[in-house]
Amino acid sequence: MSIPAFSDIAKSSNDLLTKDFYHTAASNLEVKSKAPNGVAFNVKGKSSHEGHTAGSIEAKYKDDPSGTFFNHILFLLRSPPDRSLNFSHQILIRPGLAALLIFYRRAGLTLTQSWTTTNSLDTKIEVENQIAKGLKAEILTHYLPKSNTYGAKTNLYFKQPNFHGRAFFDLFKGPTATIDAVLGHEGFLVGAEAGYDVQKAAITRYSAAVGYSVPQYSAAIAATNNLSVFAASYYHKVNSEVEAGAKATWDSKAGDKVGLEVASKWRLDPTSFAKAKVNDSGIAAVAYNVILRPGFTLGLGASFDTKKLNESAHKVGASFTFDA
């Protein structure tokens, strides 16, 4: 299996504990569609329990790497063109004949633009496996027209069979850089993260994690926030229908209390599943997800404060996803 990013060393347990629980918002709406020319649109809307609403519209276009190499006239060439290059040419001169063959290959990129209800214009440009094999580069920008403020970030991802490294650069704040790396071998994982502020010439954050991951189960221990917050997590895929996981967290600066959370997921049938979790504070949550028909998914969720069952501390939520 591939080596995960530093933030995903405990992904299996984190997803089980946080993903597909719909009580966190009163309602969620997501509409996905794709135009004939390949542009994918994604419209999202969310209403919070406090009555606030937020939304965004996103368009994504992927230009796959391609090119024409004129294979049918290769007899004119003394050597075949180098297909690994984005641009190459060959010149051939014979008595009564002169030919210039130009070979062009599109590098391929992904362009994503979004507009949110906070009037933020965000753009992301991605290029993968073109600069070097296993390297992905991103440029992210955002612009707030009302305040005339803007920002730009550059992200780099590099993956190899036993290595996964990332670098995030904020060009206008600091500038700052955050770099993390994970090494893996036969399921064992070890990773570290560090943040650096160029203007202050100082390390601003550092973290470390170790883990073990196989398809049936995984376990991880992480020390974040400058090695002051410790978390241990476990995930077990019991069988094709049942998953279970738990996470314990201790903040050494906040006292001796250890937070604990456990969750489980049941696959009811090929189109639906249910989830449940509870934490040490007595907050229990349940969720149900079902594909009502191709392209329409419904999610329902609720949370209950088991220590205050006679009070209005409970929450319910619903999610509607349309995928055309």
Side-chain angles (χ1 to χ4, degrees), residues 25-193:
S27 60
N28 277 285
L29 174 65
E30 184 173 5
V31 180
K32 304 176 184 179
S33 63
K34 194 169 186 178
N37 62 352
V39 179
F41 295 93
N42 192 350
V43 180
K44 296 180 180 180
K46 177 165 60 174
S47 175
S48 69
H49 291 287
E50 293 75 23
H52 305 298
T53 58
S56 66
I57 180 171
E58 177 186 281
K60 183 175 183 178
Y61 176 70
K62 186 174 182 179
D63 184 23
D64 293 324
S66 62
T68 303
F69 295 100
F70 299 103
N71 288 332
H72 61 288
I73 54 175
L74 285 177
F75 67 91
L76 290 175
L77 305 178
R78 297 192 182 279
S79 60
D82 186 350
R83 293 172 182 263
S84 66
L85 301 176
N86 290 333
F87 179 86
S88 63
H89 69 276
Q90 301 266 337
I91 299 177
L92 174 66
I93 299 178
R94 290 179 179 173
L97 173 64
L100 171 62
L101 302 182
I102 298 177
F103 306 92
Y104 171 72
R105 184 187 184 200
R106 296 202 309 269
L109 58 84
T110 301
L111 173 65
T112 306
Q113 292 185 302
S114 62
W115 189 17
T116 70
T117 51
T118 58
N119 200 19
S120 175
L121 303 174
D122 302 321
T123 300
K124 180 167 70 172
I125 300 175
E126 306 169 62
V127 176
E128 187 171 4
N129 289 326
Q130 299 304 313
I131 302 172
K133 185 178 181 181
L135 177 63
K136 177 182 176 182
E138 293 180 346
I139 297 177
L140 298 90
T141 65
H142 73 269
Y143 175 62
L144 299 175
K146 184 176 181 180
S147 58
N148 195 31
T149 58
Y150 51 86
K153 297 181 180 180
T154 300
N155 301 333
L156 298 174
Y157 307 80
F158 186 60
K159 295 181 66 176
Q160 293 296 306
N162 296 309
F163 175 82
H164 192 157
R166 305 183 302 174
F168 307 97
F169 304 95
D170 193 322
L171 305 180
F172 290 93
K173 293 182 180 180
T176 61
T178 301
I179 299 174
D180 62 48
V182 177
L183 295 173
H185 180 67
E186 296 182 351
F188 291 95
L189 305 169
V190 58
E193 176 194 57

Side-chain angles (χ1 to χ4, degrees), residues 211-242:
Y212 180 75
S213 179
V214 293
Q216 294 77 21
Y217 61 90
S218 63
I221 299 176
T224 59
N225 289 14
N226 300 340
L227 306 184
S228 64
V229 177
F230 301 87
S233 59
Y234 175 74
Y235 166 84
H236 184 199
K237 188 170 184 178
V238 181
N239 52 48
S240 60
E241 299 176 352
V242 180

Side-chain angles (χ1 to χ4, degrees), residues 13-36:
S13 60
N14 288 338
D15 284 351
L16 185 64
L17 290 164
T18 61
K19 195 175 180 180
D20 298 321
F21 284 101
Y22 307 105
H23 65 275
T24 55
S27 60
N28 277 285
L29 174 65
E30 184 173 5
V31 180
K32 304 176 184 179
S33 63
K34 194 169 186 178

